[in-house]
């Protein structure tokens, strides 16, 4: 994970976003054990309470779980991970569509452009 | 939880000049707090009052419910804004010195951190660069199992690598029952390690808020917000 943070958002929300990205992409595989709060805080250069808050949010989202004695793990619920991936993907698509609409493209034209792009690739 | 540091209507004057003027604030255990203000705003005066190096002109300051004295010095670990350890002392002598003085000093912890930086225990302070000296002092201060750490300008005038070491040391030694107060005007450098900030100006508390709250409400970093509040 990177240590650079945007200045206009709370750091914990940015941490949540980074964890979601890593869990959805599989960079942090299901069942993987997370480092301790203190180690994560030191690695990321942020306050331990901020890390704690981010992990609690991820727990609420069902992406990580705590085992009382052995620490925190990435969920093994692959359906939950798939849902998270879809949410993140949906967000990218909406941002993309908003930017294209701003350029004056119609929905039909956007789909044609995507199709062209796909043909060039193959 | 009861406050580790509490100020009630605290004032301090030097001659006719008010360095602190009716300060009320409360700091809970387990927090890393930035005490932020321009030069001459009263940061060092507040820290010296918390250490018992100064006495209030009016109002009171309590450490874990006690007035500053021998009992509070046993739980407060203080890093002054300037060097106070003598040039002739070696690192080993300083370890002995801290061990004698403070029941909560963890010698193994200090030795381990010194080792990580390859600082030779036989070295004398007078032989060290400014940055190394500052690291040694911070290691001594952070190796105590204190209830409150008061760090006065710990990152003033050090290079970025040293600054990272200092912040890393603060994070790694974090303990949920202790609080850390970092006084500085280099906000951008410390912002990510802070829970909350106190803005002080002209001897008065301007605000006390969590870093997340400021970023959420203002949509900007604490550093940018500070510049706005203290615009000259």
């Amino acid at each position: 994970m990177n240590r650079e943070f945007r200045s206009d958002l709370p750091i914990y929300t940015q941490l949540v976003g980074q964890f979601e990205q890593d869990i959805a992409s599989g960079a942090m595989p299901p069942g993987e054990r997370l480092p301790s709060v203190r180690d994560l805080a030191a690695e990321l250069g942020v306050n331990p309470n901020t890390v704690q808050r981010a992990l609690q949010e991820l727990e609420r989202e069902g992406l990580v779980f705590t085992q009382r004695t052995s620490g925190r793990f990435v969920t093994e619920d692959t359906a939950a991970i798939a849902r998270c991936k879809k949410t993140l993907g949906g967000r990218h698509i909406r941002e993309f569509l908003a930017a294209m609409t701003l350029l004056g493209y119609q929905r039909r034209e956007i789909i044609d452009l995507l199709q062209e792009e796909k043909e060039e690739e193959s | 939880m009861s406050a580790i540091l509490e100020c009630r209507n605290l004032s301090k004057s030097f001659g006719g000049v008010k360095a602190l003027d009716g300060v009320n604030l409360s700091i809970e255990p387990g927090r890393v707090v930035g005490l932020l203000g321009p030069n001459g705003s009263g940061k060092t005066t507040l820290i010296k009052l918390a250490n018992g190096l100064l006495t209030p002109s009016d109002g009171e300051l309590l450490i874990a419910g006690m007035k500053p004295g021998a009992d509070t010095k046993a739980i407060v670990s203080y890093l002054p804004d300037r060097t106070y350890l003598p040039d002739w002392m070696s690192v080993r002598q300083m370890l002995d010195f801290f061990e004698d003085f403070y029941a909560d000093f963890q010698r193994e912890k200090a030795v381990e951190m010194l080792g990580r930086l390859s600082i030779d225990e036989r070295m004398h302070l007078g032989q060290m660069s400014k940055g190394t000296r500052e690291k040694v002092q911070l290691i001594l201060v952070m190796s105590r199992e204190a209830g409150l750490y008061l760090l006065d300008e710990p990152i003033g005038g050090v290079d970025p690598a040293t600054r990272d070491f200092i912040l890393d040391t603060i994070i790694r030694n974090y303990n949920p029952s202790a609080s850390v107060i970092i006084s500085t005007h280099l906000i951008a450098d410390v912002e990510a390690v802070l829970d909350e900030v106190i803005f002080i100006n002209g001897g008065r508390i301007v605000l006390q808020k969590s870093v997340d709250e400021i970023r959420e409400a203002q949509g900007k970093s604490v550093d940018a917000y500070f510049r706005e509040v203290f615009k000259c």
Side-chain angles (χ1 to χ4, degrees):
Chain A
M1 276 186 212
N2 70 55
R3 288 180 72 138
E4 298 300 316
F5 295 99
R6 286 170 53 174
S7 60
D8 55 346
L9 282 175
I11 291 170
Y12 88 93
T13 42
Q14 298 181 57
L15 287 179
V16 169
Q18 287 185 22
F19 277 112
E20 285 175 343
Q21 169 73 30
D22 286 354
I23 291 170
S25 69
M28 284 169 69
E32 183 172 89
R33 189 171 190 279
L34 271 64
S36 71
V37 168
R38 192 190 298 249
D39 286 347
L40 277 171
E43 187 192 322
L44 297 163
V46 303
N47 182 295
N49 292 321
T50 306
V51 173
Q52 184 71 25
R53 192 169 171 191
L55 293 176
Q56 277 164 356
E57 176 65 21
L58 290 161
E59 243 169 66
R60 214 184 46 77
E61 292 175 10
L63 292 173
V64 307
F65 66 95
T66 305
Q67 212 139 47
R68 276 183 69 143
T69 47
S70 45
R72 274 201 179 81
F73 298 84
V74 176
T75 184
E76 281 160 351
D77 179 354
T78 47
I81 296 174
R83 277 199 301 279
C84 169
K85 187 171 179 175
K86 199 165 179 208
T87 308
L88 295 182
R91 206 178 293 162
H92 286 308
I93 289 175
R94 279 192 300 280
E95 278 169 15
F96 165 73
L97 288 177
M100 293 299 274
T101 309
L102 214 57
L103 274 174
Y105 283 111
Q106 300 297 317
R107 196 55 60 98
R108 190 64 249 165
E109 293 173 290
I110 297 171
I111 293 168
D112 290 344
L113 282 170
L114 282 171
Q115 197 64 40
E116 264 174 52
E117 189 77 14
K118 193 182 165 215
E119 277 155 18
E120 273 168 35
E121 262 176 38
S122 55
Chain B
M1 245 185 285
S2 62
I4 183 79
L5 175 83
E6 191 166 16
C7 302
R8 293 192 196 127
N9 199 27
L10 180 68
S11 295
K12 178 67 187 176
S13 308
F14 296 104
V17 185
K18 278 206 159 175
L20 285 181
D21 188 5
V23 167
N24 287 296
L25 66 88
S26 170
I27 291 171
E28 305 298 314
R31 314 284 286 171
V32 183
V33 181
L35 180 62
L36 315 176
N39 294 322
S41 54
K43 302 190 291 287
T44 296
T45 302
L46 181 58
I47 285 182
K48 285 188 173 169
L49 283 162
N51 274 311
L53 292 175
L54 295 172
T55 51
S57 307
D58 199 11
E60 63 176 358
L61 179 148
L62 300 173
I63 305 284
M66 301 176 281
K67 289 201 168 166
D71 290 338
T72 68
K73 286 180 189 187
I75 58 168
V76 172
S77 194
Y78 168 49
L79 182 75
D81 61 347
R82 60 193 62 179
T83 2
Y84 63 105
L85 296 163
D87 281 352
W88 57 265
M89 269 184 138
S90 71
V91 174
R92 188 165 298 152
Q93 284 172 308
M94 282 189 298
L95 292 171
D96 294 340
F97 194 59
F98 263 68
E99 211 166 27
D100 283 346
F101 253 94
Y102 301 110
D104 61 359
F105 185 64
Q106 311 286 308
R107 188 176 185 127
E108 332 70 70
K109 208 166 166 182
V111 168
E112 191 267 318
M113 284 194 271
L114 289 164
R116 231 179 334 133
L117 292 176
S118 324
I119 294 172
D120 189 335
E121 284 182 32
R122 287 165 304 187
M123 227 166 135
H124 292 257
L125 267 180
Q127 299 171 288
M128 292 174 184
S129 70
K130 185 168 181 278
T132 307
R133 257 173 117 106
E134 297 202 2
K135 284 182 217 169
V136 169
Q137 288 195 61
L138 183 83
I139 287 171
L140 291 169
V141 167
M142 294 308 293
S143 295
R144 290 183 53 197
E145 299 276 298
L148 178 64
Y149 299 86
L150 297 172
L151 313 178
D152 198 357
E153 295 285 358
I155 54 164
V158 300
D159 63 77
T162 305
R163 182 198 59 203
D164 284 351
F165 170 80
I166 289 172
L167 295 178
D168 194 64
T169 304
I170 294 169
I171 295 169
R172 284 192 190 276
N173 289 289
Y174 171 85
N175 138 21
S177 60
S179 278
V180 184
I181 299 178
I182 305 173
S183 121
T184 187
H185 51 261
L186 303 170
I187 304 170
D189 288 343
V190 297
E191 190 167 336
V193 308
L194 302 178
D195 284 294
E196 59 185 83
V197 292
I198 294 168
F199 283 7
I200 182 171
N201 196 22
R204 292 169 182 269
I205 303 299
V206 179
L207 70 85
Q208 178 178 10
K209 273 207 175 89
S210 84
V211 171
D212 285 341
E213 246 181 283
I214 290 177
R215 284 175 166 241
E216 232 150 342
Q218 307 293 330
K220 58 181 72 144
S221 67
V222 173
D223 186 41
Y225 186 53
F226 181 89
R227 285 165 204 260
E228 189 180 292
V229 171
F230 290 108
K231 198 163 183 212
C232 298

